Structures are given as structure tokens and as C-alpha cells.
Amino acid sequence: MTEGPSANKKLKIQNEFDKSPNWANAFRLTSVQAIYPAFAVLQLGPDCNAHMSVPFTDAKCNFRKVGLEVGGLYMIDFDDIFSKGIDLLIDLQNNSRELTEEEQRAVDILDHFLKDKEKHQQSLHKVLGGCKSEEEKDEKTNSFETHMTIALAEHLFGKLAPGQSYVIDNRVRGKKEKEMCQCRLDHCHGRPKFDCTGIGDEKAWHGFLDIVFSSHPVAAITTQELYGDENDEESETVYDEDSPDGKTICEMQLNHGAENQAIAQTIVFSYIQRKRHPSFQNYLIPNILISPYHFRILMYDSLNDILICSVKLPIFQDKEKCEKLSVESIVFLWIVLHYRIFCVGINVTELLNSGSIKDLRDIQSNFPERAREKFKLYEESSTIGISSFLPIPEEIFPSLDSFLYGKRLFKPRRLWKNSI
């Protein structure tokens, strides 16, 4: 029996998978012993400033992890949210179904990346692992931020994302009009594109994403510091714009301020996607927070007001050497960047029916309450592609000029006495 073209293509690709050690590592995620990343549920505290006009860099979320007083944190596994991605890997390994065109494109992207993995890890090692002393850090912090953003976009995010194209925030370009990837290796031919990446509304949380991809809605943030300990991380941004206008957020982390920035961006971005794409099956929109060694996945469901954050995932197998990329982390990142076809969202009905929670408010972030009178603005007015934000005037102590057109609450006493 002669098989159709799509079946032949599927079988051909499967044979290539069988010969690839990188795909063998990827397929380990399909075993029953596989351990997936977990997400914690976050809530915003009363000191959150979502009701104020502040840039993302000054966002204050006052967040906390949510769980039972006895029994630890509420936890959601990666495969609970991205079950379609894990199921696809299982079917690929077993060669048990034909792929849709969208799935085939996604698989081809991962396949091409894994074939060129050695080249990409050489480039990332040269840029991310090349500045280790405190003296180098002090001298190169500003330029390193730009170099890292470009390298991650060119050799990681941009190669795994739908569409495989991106735009970098034009404010990180510095004095160089044509900033190139600093790996300068023969296989690197990328030409970064710079453009405006502002999102939000100047009357509320607002600011700029570092990178924009050109397919599903995704974004990312890079760090301003080279190194940090387990609790010391900072950030920058990347996002994707190939779906009708969609984007996803991705961030880098090296200090607590970056965590607040990432949360604010994730929430704003989700409301923008919900407004622009009312046909989405769910609005659990990701943002990736990334440092030179790790990344976290933040996601916010603007329909159900649920905010979650993953544990750290390593970019390299050994962060001290920064030489070999972690295939497992690459696969997780690929699934997240293709969330439009792999993410099933959070099944709130199942959670309530199973008794895992008694009330949806137990796991909601409380963002509408924290945004106060600005909440409708987030739902209706936040937008994307903004080149600049007008500053909102701050209140200052009174000056003589401020009284020129003022209104006195009491009649001047001297005039009153002279009229007697």
C-alpha cells in the first residue's frame, strides 16, 4: 500500500529521530520516570502599585507563594498545562500519528535546532561565558546586556520560536547603529532588527519588552548583571509576534526587582492578548525570565486571574562551563514558545470538582483588586508597539505660580475689614 506524502515525510523524519542522540535525550521526557518542572501559584499583596502610573522597572507586586498552612505550596506540573506538547513527543517517538501542518512546522523547528545545537552552544558559550571577573563585569555591564540579548535572541529564542524571527527593543542598541552578535563565529550570519516594543498604558504599569518574536504571542527579558546567587537575579525582555498580532513574553532574572518587573509585564501582556485575540482557547500567556544560566516561566490567565511561576530551569548542563546546552530545557522552552498549540490552560472546573481547592479565590492573584480604579484600563486600553510614554506629572509642594489661578476658600480678611 502506497502512503501519502505527509505519511512519507513523517516516517522519514522519524528515522532521523532514531539516529539522533539529541532526540534520544528529548524523548526521555516521555518516560514514566520523567520529572517535569513545577509551577507555584502567586498572589499579589496589598502593597502592589498596579493602580499607579509606574514603568515596569519600578513595578511593585508585593507577591507571595500560595499554599496550605500545613502541607506546602500549591503546585501545578508542567505536563498539566502543556499536555499537548508532551503527548506530541510521545506520538513522535512511537510514530503513531500524522502531524498537522502547524505541528509539523513546530517539530521541524526543534529538529533544525537540535541538528545545529553544537554551533549555537559555541556562540552562547563565547558570549555568556566570556566575562567572569568583577573587573570585567564593572567595565562591560552595559555592553554585555546588549550582547547577551542579541546572542540569546539569535542562538536560542529566535531559533526555537514560531516564525524564527524577532525584533529587539531599539533602546538597547546604544551608540552602535548596527549591533551584531558578538560571538563572531563563521556560522553566525544573523542581522538583528531593532524596533519599538513598548506595552501597557502610561497611566498604569507600562514599559518595554527587550525582544519580540514574529509568530505566537511571546516575549523575553535579559539581565543587566552578569552573575548572581540563587536569590539575586535581574531582567530584560523578548516577545513574539507572528500570530495575527500575538506575542508572548520572556524575561531574564537577577534581582528581586526583576521578578516584580516580570510579573507586571506578564499580567499586562496577557490582558493585551485577551483584547486582541478573543478567539484564543485560553489566556494563560507566558513570559520567560532568563539569566545567563537559568530561565523561569511566568504565566498569567487574565480570564481567571491566575498567576503562576516555574522553578528555575538550567540553560547549560554545567553553568560553570557554559559549554553544553541542556536538551531537556531546550525542549521545555520550545514547548512554551509554541504555547498556542501545546498549552491547554488551567482547568478551573476540574480543580473545583476534584476538591483540590474549595474556592477559586484560593488561587487567584487578586490583580483586579490591586489595580483598583485602573482595572478597566488594563482590560480596555493597554496596547503594544509603543515607541515612548509621556510622563505623568508628579505632585510637588505649592509654589507662588500655582496660586495665580487658584480659588480662595475664605474671603481675604483685610478686604473684609476695609468694607466695614
Side-chain angles (χ1 to χ4, degrees), residues 49 81 102 376:
N49 62 3
I81 295 174
E102 194 172 26
K376 281 294 181 184

Side-chain angles (χ1 to χ4, degrees), residues 89-275:
L89 288 177
I90 293 173
D91 291 342
L92 279 176
Q93 186 179 28
N94 297 329
N95 198 23
S96 57
R97 67 171 163 129
E98 288 190 23
L99 306 180
T100 66
E101 290 186 7
E102 194 172 26
E103 290 171 339
Q104 186 66 69
R105 286 194 296 269
V107 170
D108 287 343
I109 286 173
L110 180 58
D111 189 44
H112 293 156
F113 185 91
L114 292 178
K115 287 176 179 176
D116 292 334
K117 181 172 74 73
E118 284 68 26
K119 295 179 181 178
H120 296 309
Q121 63 191 16
Q122 287 174 15
S123 296
L124 291 172
H125 168 68
K126 185 172 181 181
V127 176
L128 302 185
C131 195
K132 294 188 176 180
S133 70
E134 289 298 319
E135 293 77 11
E136 287 178 315
K137 185 194 325 187
D138 292 338
E139 293 176 3
K140 300 182 180 181
T141 294
N142 293 333
S143 60
F144 179 81
E145 178 182 352
T146 299
H147 299 335
M148 180 174 58
T149 301
I150 293 174
L152 287 167
E154 188 61 33
H155 295 288
L156 190 61
F157 296 113
K159 291 296 185 291
L160 290 172
Q164 296 183 291
S165 60
Y166 63 87
V167 173
I168 297 177
D169 176 13
N170 55 16
R171 301 173 314 127
V172 307
R173 182 168 30 183
K175 297 180 180 180
K176 298 182 180 180
E177 286 299 315
K178 295 183 179 179
E179 186 73 66
M180 304 299 292
C181 179
Q182 292 302 297
C183 77
R184 302 188 183 280
L185 298 176
D186 292 340
H187 62 257
C188 182
H189 305 293
R191 293 188 174 276
K193 295 182 180 179
F194 298 86
D195 207 342
C196 56
T197 62
I199 67 169
D201 188 290
E202 58 200 19
K203 301 182 185 67
W205 277 342
H206 61 274
F208 299 90
L209 306 173
D210 289 342
I211 308 171
V212 180
F213 301 112
S214 60
S215 193
H216 296 348
V218 180
I221 296 184
T222 58
T223 177
Q224 296 178 1
E225 296 186 24
L226 301 180
Y227 295 89
D229 59 29
E230 187 69 15
N231 297 312
D232 180 29
E233 297 195 341
E234 186 150 345
S235 45
E236 254 187 52
T237 314
V238 176
Y239 78 84
D240 159 327
E241 86 170 24
D242 185 321
S243 124
D245 203 15
K247 323 261 183 298
T248 308
I249 300 184
C250 210
E251 266 199 339
M252 301 183 81
Q253 147 177 346
L254 278 180
N255 67 24
H256 197 68
E259 296 172 354
N260 285 273
Q261 178 180 347
I263 290 173
Q265 289 177 330
T266 305
I267 291 173
V268 171
F269 201 72
S270 181
Y271 278 105
I272 291 173
Q273 295 310 312
R274 181 179 165 191
K275 175 185 173 184

Side-chain angles (χ1 to χ4, degrees), residues 14 17 22-31 89-90 92-93:
Q14 181 61 41
F17 292 162
N22 287 323
W23 271 105
N25 290 332
F27 286 142
R28 288 177 188 170
L29 299 176
T30 66
S31 69
L89 288 177
I90 293 173
L92 279 176
Q93 186 179 28

Side-chain angles (χ1 to χ4, degrees), residues 367-390:
F367 177 73
E369 292 86 347
R370 304 312 179 204
R372 303 181 193 176
E373 70 279 359
K374 298 288 182 68
F375 179 62
K376 281 294 181 184
L377 184 151
Y378 286 98
E379 283 193 307
E380 300 172 0
S381 301
S382 292
T383 187
I384 197 166
I386 302 172
S387 59
S388 62
F389 295 92
L390 294 175

Side-chain angles (χ1 to χ4, degrees), residues 289-304:
L289 181 67
I290 186 168
S291 77
Y293 309 118
H294 307 93
F295 66 91
R296 291 184 189 268
I297 305 158
L298 287 90
M299 305 186 77
Y300 180 67
D301 181 344
S302 56
L303 189 61
N304 294 301

